[in-house]
Amino acid sequence: MSLNLDEKKVRTFNVEGIDQRLLYGQNDVFLRIIETRFVSKIVARGDSILVEGAPADVDQVVRLLGDLVTRIKSGDYITEQYLNYAIGMVKENGYGPAAYISTETLLTSALKKEIKPKTVGQTRYVEAVDQNDIVFSIGPAGTGKTYLAVAMAVAELKAKRVNRIVFTRPAVEAGESLGFLPGDVRAKVDPYLRPVYDALYDMLQPDKIKKLLELGVVEIAPLAFMRGRTLNEAFVVLDEAQNTTTAQMKMLLTRIGEKSKAVITGDITQIDLDSRHASGMVTVQTILKDIPGIEFVYLTEKDVIRHHLVQKIIKAYGRYEKSKRKG
């Protein structure tokens, strides 16, 4: 898009003292991405960046650059994923996310990777779990609901704030009757809890996981096996909770004992229950909304940390479902 001279604006952004390799990306790829997302031209010259283009876009680019510098100064790297997230936030809100994302590491993975929140929504999620005993995390696929829940559970266990971790999930496809599947209980429920296993193996060495499972320090079981139990000094994660009935949700929540935490995750746009049953994840938002110590955290497509197209897919399906309801 070409601009008349009187439509252009030029601003200079100082980058003195900043590692320009981190800010610009390999072969200046980050600067080129920014150019494609704004009506602007960006030229790096020594310790400054010259931004030229449409006035509103130039101002947003400068705010974006300031956010990226804040991110670098906090000790974090700029990734293409973060850059696209920051661009979207600056375009929508006029400011970037760097000052609102926690820099605190939850856990260092088995591969020495630091696990920490990557979005503002994820930061709210982690803070909610820190401050409350029961937290509901509701949002679409790819927002880190399960992964962060597993990370927080492992971190609590390592810090000896809980004595065990319990992961559970409704086996809706098997109608909570797992008898026809081959193997023991773990073999029967494993297919339904694969995301939990994947996260665990990302965070702990396989031999450590095997030992914790054998000792019962980490328990992975179908929701039906939670009946009649009291879970003391435990970190309980109920995954795929949109597929619980109201009665099942009540059953799980009333299992929580002393010195325990519970994180309940789910995507209420992907309910697999038959039409005769209301989702416990839907009804619980009304039933428990005003109880201190219980918090609901809502993640959106903006918190998606998978492939950049996943955000667009979620938005497209949202528009489709909305049009269907109107029709």
Side-chain angles (χ1 to χ4, degrees):
M1 178 178 177
S2 60
L3 294 170
N4 296 326
L5 286 175
D6 56 355
E7 294 176 321
K8 288 184 180 180
K9 183 174 184 177
V10 179
R11 287 187 63 180
T12 300
F13 185 85
N14 189 287
V15 293
E16 187 177 357
I18 300 299
D19 189 334
Q20 295 175 10
R21 294 169 300 178
L22 299 179
L23 182 60
Y24 300 167
Q26 188 172 11
N27 298 321
D28 294 350
V29 64
F30 294 159
L31 299 184
R32 303 292 77 84
I33 290 173
I34 296 170
E35 278 186 327
T36 63
R37 299 289 297 275
F38 296 92
V39 183
S40 62
K41 181 179 179 181
I42 301 172
V43 179
R45 292 177 178 170
D47 286 335
S48 64
I49 298 174
L50 191 70
V51 185
E52 179 181 358
D57 286 68
V58 168
D59 290 341
Q60 286 189 329
V61 169
V62 170
R63 283 195 288 271
L64 173 65
L65 292 171
D67 179 84
L68 300 181
V69 167
T70 298
R71 175 84 171 177
I72 291 169
K73 286 182 176 179
S74 72
D76 282 310
Y77 289 97
I78 304 298
T79 62
E80 188 171 333
Q81 180 187 73
Y82 177 83
L83 177 60
N84 285 318
Y85 176 58
I87 288 171
M89 193 163 170
V90 168
K91 280 178 170 284
E92 182 173 342
N93 301 321
Y95 55 86
Y100 304 92
I101 298 178
S102 172
T103 58
E104 185 176 342
T105 300
L106 292 171
L107 193 70
T108 300
S109 75
L111 300 175
K112 305 302 179 184
K113 180 179 73 173
E114 291 186 343
I115 299 171
K116 59 180 70 175
K118 294 185 177 180
T119 69
V120 176
Q122 287 188 355
T123 297
R124 285 199 298 267
Y125 176 23
V126 171
E127 289 174 347
V129 174
D130 184 54
Q131 296 164 10
N132 298 273
D133 287 337
I134 298 177
V135 172
F136 294 85
S137 176
I138 302 172
T143 50
K145 301 183 301 295
T146 302
Y147 191 84
L148 285 174
V150 175
M152 289 184 280
V154 173
E156 289 285 296
L157 183 66
K158 283 190 168 185
K160 298 183 178 179
R161 287 188 286 267
V162 296
N163 291 333
R164 57 179 168 154
I165 302 172
V166 178
F167 297 113
T168 187
R169 186 179 184 183
V172 168
E173 297 86 347
E176 288 287 356
S177 177
L178 304 172
F180 72 91
L181 292 171
D184 58 14
V185 170
R186 189 175 299 159
K188 293 174 191 294
V189 77
D190 275 359
Y192 302 100
L193 285 155
R194 195 70 250 170
V196 172
Y197 278 104
D198 290 343
L200 271 177
Y201 279 100
D202 195 26
M203 296 169 197
L204 297 170
Q205 296 290 349
D207 58 338
K208 179 69 171 177
I209 296 171
K210 182 180 179 182
K211 183 178 180 181
L212 291 172
L213 288 169
E214 288 173 349
L215 293 173
V217 175
V218 173
E219 180 182 354
I220 301 177
L223 182 58
F225 285 61
M226 295 295 111
R227 299 183 191 279
R229 301 179 58 185
T230 300
L231 303 171
N232 291 319
E233 297 184 65
F235 195 112
V236 182
V237 178
L238 170 59
D239 194 30
E240 295 290 322
Q242 76 274 8
N243 290 327
T244 62
T245 63
T246 298
Q248 288 170 333
M249 179 67 78
K250 178 184 176 183
M251 180 272 291
L252 186 280
L253 292 174
T254 53
R255 300 307 95 203
I256 308 303
E258 290 294 321
K259 299 179 182 179
S260 290
K261 279 185 178 285
V263 176
I264 297 93
T265 72
D267 177 1
I268 56 176
T269 69
Q270 295 189 25
I271 297 171
D272 297 318
L273 293 169
D274 64 50
S275 57
R276 294 173 300 167
H277 298 103
S279 166
M281 192 65 143
V282 172
T283 57
V284 78
Q285 295 175 73
T286 300
I287 297 169
L288 302 183
K289 64 179 180 179
D290 295 322
I291 298 180
I294 298 176
E295 187 163 342
F296 291 85
V297 178
Y298 296 89
L299 302 173
T300 71
E301 75 280 350
K302 298 183 185 70
D303 298 298
V304 169
I305 53 173
R306 292 179 183 170
H307 193 286
H308 68 92
L309 287 176
V310 175
Q311 281 194 13
K312 295 178 181 179
I313 291 168
I314 292 169
K315 283 184 178 179
Y317 270 95
R319 290 193 296 268
Y320 172 73
E321 294 296 335
K322 191 175 181 180
S323 66
K324 268 182 44 175
R325 289 194 294 271
K326 284 184 177 179

